[in-house]
């Protein structure tokens, strides 16, 4: 099937199950004129990627789209412009992203790492087999909101909490932690909640996130209707699993929609996510709008509506402490990033100055 047939049936060709639509087609038009093929990146590893095209799955080299900025490297979920032929075939470009899920790396270089692109739903898997870590959920939510995707918290292994009252309290705790976010309980053993989850992910692209042992691969298999993703048991001592999934994989779901499964994340560092933090703690921001001073730090200032809400019991103190912690962390990341950029500018200026001095010396030598 050639790209020339796309305009006649743009919503019914082979890439439609992977999220292709008229808007993507319009974006791709300049590349189509160059004879390139559209495709969605389903997996990236070691300078190459697998791309689903109308001609099937192709392996392509990413040498032409490997910039120094780690946030601009091609990633799972991107829409790519691929050479129609060649050995090897190359990705020549990728389309501007609608959304991008980014976290900070564990390195000291203040770099961001893009985990998935063009995502509509961010599914945060949290296991009920261990004690809830509400702070970690807030971190995931902040990154999800910042990405532009709609978050959804899925509490897995609900069959391990047979008491409905206890389960209700756990759900309520998470709902308080995730204002404006749907919280769903699921069980791969009983099938509870999987139909609701399938309906949510059936529209658009979803990325599955969580730590090892959260049940992501089991969820993926339930949505795929087959044992596609390998599953390993979590350790009984702490509920943590081994990294069954080692790469980010994009999969078309039989009931519609696209799922990106990701490896378990050891760290969930923020990356310039101030807006996302504000969304997670929207009730605190609402209280803050009533403070006497517009630059209130909510520490000990008179007329602080946030502290008043804590004193009255309307706002849990844990929420305020978590809010402060994530804001401080985000500010540190931004400050480090700015410092790194300033250092790069200084290096560039020194290089240009050296070139200028060399050229000046050469001109003087020529005149002599």
């Amino acid at each position: 099937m050639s790209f020339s047939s796309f305009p006649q049936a743009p919503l019914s060709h082979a890439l439609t199950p992977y999220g292709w639509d008229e808007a993507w087609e319009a974006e791709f038009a300049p590349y189509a004129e160059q004879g390139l093929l559209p495709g969605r990146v389903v997996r990236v590893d070691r300078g190459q990627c697998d791309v689903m095209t109308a001609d099937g799955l192709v392996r392509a080299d990413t040498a032409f789209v490997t910039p120094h900025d780690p946030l601009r490297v091609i990633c799972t979920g991107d829409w790519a412009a691929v050479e129609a032929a060649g050995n090897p075939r190359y990705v020549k470009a990728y389309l501007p992203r609608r959304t991008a899920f980014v976290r900070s790396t564990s390195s000291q270089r203040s770099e961001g790492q893009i985990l998935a692109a063009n995502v509509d739903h961010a599914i945060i898997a949290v296991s009920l087999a261990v004690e809830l870590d509400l702070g970690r959920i807030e971190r995931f939510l902040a990154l999800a909101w910042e990405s532009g995707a709609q978050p959804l918290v899925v509490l897995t292994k609900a069959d391990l909490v047979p008491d409905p009252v206890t389960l209700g309290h756990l759900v309520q705790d998470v709902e308080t932690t995730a204002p404006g976010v749907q919280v769903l309980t699921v069980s791969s053993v009983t099938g509870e909640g999987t139909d609701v989850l399938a309906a949510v992910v059936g529209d658009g692209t979803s990325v599955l996130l969580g730590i090892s042992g959260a049940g992501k691969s089991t969820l993926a298999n339930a949505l795929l209707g087959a044992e596609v993703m390998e599953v390993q048991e979590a350790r009984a001592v702490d509920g943590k699993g081994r990294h069954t999934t080692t790469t980010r994989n994009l999969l078309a779901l039989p009931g519609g929609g696209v799922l990106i499964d990701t490896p378990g994340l050891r760290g969930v560092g923020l990356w310039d996510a101030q807006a996302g933090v504000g969304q997670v703690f929207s009730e605190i921001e609402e209280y803050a709008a009533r403070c006497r001073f517009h630059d209130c730090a909510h520490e000990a200032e008179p007329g602080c509506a946030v502290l008043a809400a804590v004193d009255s019991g309307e706002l849990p103190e844990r929420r305020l402490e978590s809010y402060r912690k994530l804001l401080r962390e985000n500010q540190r990341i931004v400050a480090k990033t700015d410092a790194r950029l300033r250092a790069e500018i200084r290096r560039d200026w020194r290089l240009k100055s050296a070139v200028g001095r060399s050229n000046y010396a050469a001109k003087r030598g020529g005149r002599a």
Side-chain angles (χ1 to χ4, degrees):
M1 183 177 186
S2 66
F3 186 81
S4 61
S5 65
F6 292 173
Q8 284 72 38
L11 300 180
S12 61
H13 65 71
L15 288 179
T16 300
Y18 289 87
W20 184 261
D21 57 28
E22 291 176 328
W24 287 122
E25 182 184 342
E27 290 261 17
F28 194 82
Y31 299 105
E33 294 175 358
Q34 301 172 33
L36 299 173
L37 296 178
R40 193 150 197 201
V41 178
V42 301
R43 187 170 179 266
V44 179
D45 67 300
R46 299 179 182 177
Q48 293 188 316
C49 62
D50 294 329
V51 185
M52 181 57 70
T53 72
D55 295 333
L57 191 67
V58 303
R59 187 73 165 167
D61 195 293
T62 64
F64 285 99
V65 285
T66 308
H68 295 298
D69 184 350
L71 296 182
R72 297 178 61 193
V73 299
I74 199 162
C75 77
T76 303
D78 274 323
W79 283 101
V82 186
E83 290 179 325
N87 186 19
R89 293 166 78 163
Y90 287 93
V91 174
K92 305 296 286 190
Y94 61 84
L95 300 183
R97 295 160 177 157
R98 294 178 182 175
T99 61
F101 194 96
V102 180
R103 68 165 179 172
S104 66
T105 63
S106 57
S107 71
Q108 300 299 314
R109 294 179 295 177
S110 307
E111 291 181 345
Q113 179 189 24
I114 181 165
L115 299 180
N118 302 314
V119 172
D120 302 294
H121 309 286
I123 304 171
I124 302 165
V126 180
S127 173
L128 289 174
V130 294
E131 185 177 353
L132 289 176
D133 186 336
L134 299 178
R136 181 184 289 124
I137 294 174
E138 288 162 344
R139 283 177 173 277
F140 272 112
L141 288 170
L143 293 177
W145 282 121
E146 192 70 31
S147 76
Q150 172 66 45
L152 167 67
V153 178
V154 175
L155 301 178
T156 66
K157 309 179 184 182
D159 55 284
L160 298 180
V161 189
D163 179 23
V165 175
T166 302
L167 183 60
H169 287 315
L170 293 172
V171 171
Q172 186 176 23
D173 287 343
V174 177
E175 287 177 338
T176 302
T177 300
V181 176
Q182 182 179 3
V183 178
L184 179 65
T185 57
V186 302
S187 168
S188 60
V189 174
T190 66
E192 175 191 347
T194 55
D195 54 341
V196 178
L197 180 59
V200 172
V201 302
D203 179 25
T205 298
S206 303
V207 62
L208 195 50
L209 303 156
I211 65 171
S212 297
K216 298 186 302 302
S217 295
T218 302
L219 270 184
N221 287 334
L223 294 171
L224 290 163
E227 296 297 313
V228 175
M229 308 305 295
E230 183 184 354
V231 177
Q232 294 182 345
E233 291 295 329
R235 296 192 304 237
V237 64
D238 56 8
K240 292 183 179 179
R242 288 168 286 180
H243 293 277
T244 305
T245 302
T246 57
T247 59
R248 291 178 284 278
N249 303 285
L250 184 146
L251 307 158
L253 299 174
V258 176
L259 181 69
I260 299 176
D261 191 21
T262 65
L265 299 176
R266 293 186 179 88
V268 195
L270 299 186
W271 176 259
D272 198 5
Q274 183 169 346
V277 173
Q279 188 78 32
V280 176
F281 299 93
S282 56
E283 80 278 29
I284 296 180
E285 304 247 315
E286 290 175 5
Y287 285 124
R290 306 175 207 161
C291 290
R292 181 184 303 177
F293 304 107
H294 74 277
D295 58 348
C296 183
H298 321 306
E299 296 288 350
E301 296 85 349
C304 176
V306 174
L307 294 179
V310 172
D311 291 339
S312 68
E314 296 176 54
L315 177 65
E317 188 172 1
R318 188 207 68 80
R319 286 281 285 174
L320 179 57
E321 287 301 317
S322 185
Y323 175 68
R324 289 168 173 163
K325 180 179 180 180
L326 291 186
L327 279 183
R328 286 195 300 267
E329 178 182 327
N330 193 69
Q331 288 167 354
R332 286 197 301 270
I333 287 293
V334 172
K336 286 182 180 179
T337 304
D338 288 344
R340 178 171 60 85
L341 291 176
R342 286 196 297 271
E344 290 177 355
I345 292 171
R346 285 196 297 270
R347 285 196 300 269
D348 185 60
W349 179 82
R350 285 197 296 267
L351 177 61
K352 290 179 179 178
S353 296
V355 172
R357 288 193 300 270
S358 177
N359 290 340
Y360 179 72
K363 287 181 181 179
R364 291 193 61 183
R367 285 197 303 270

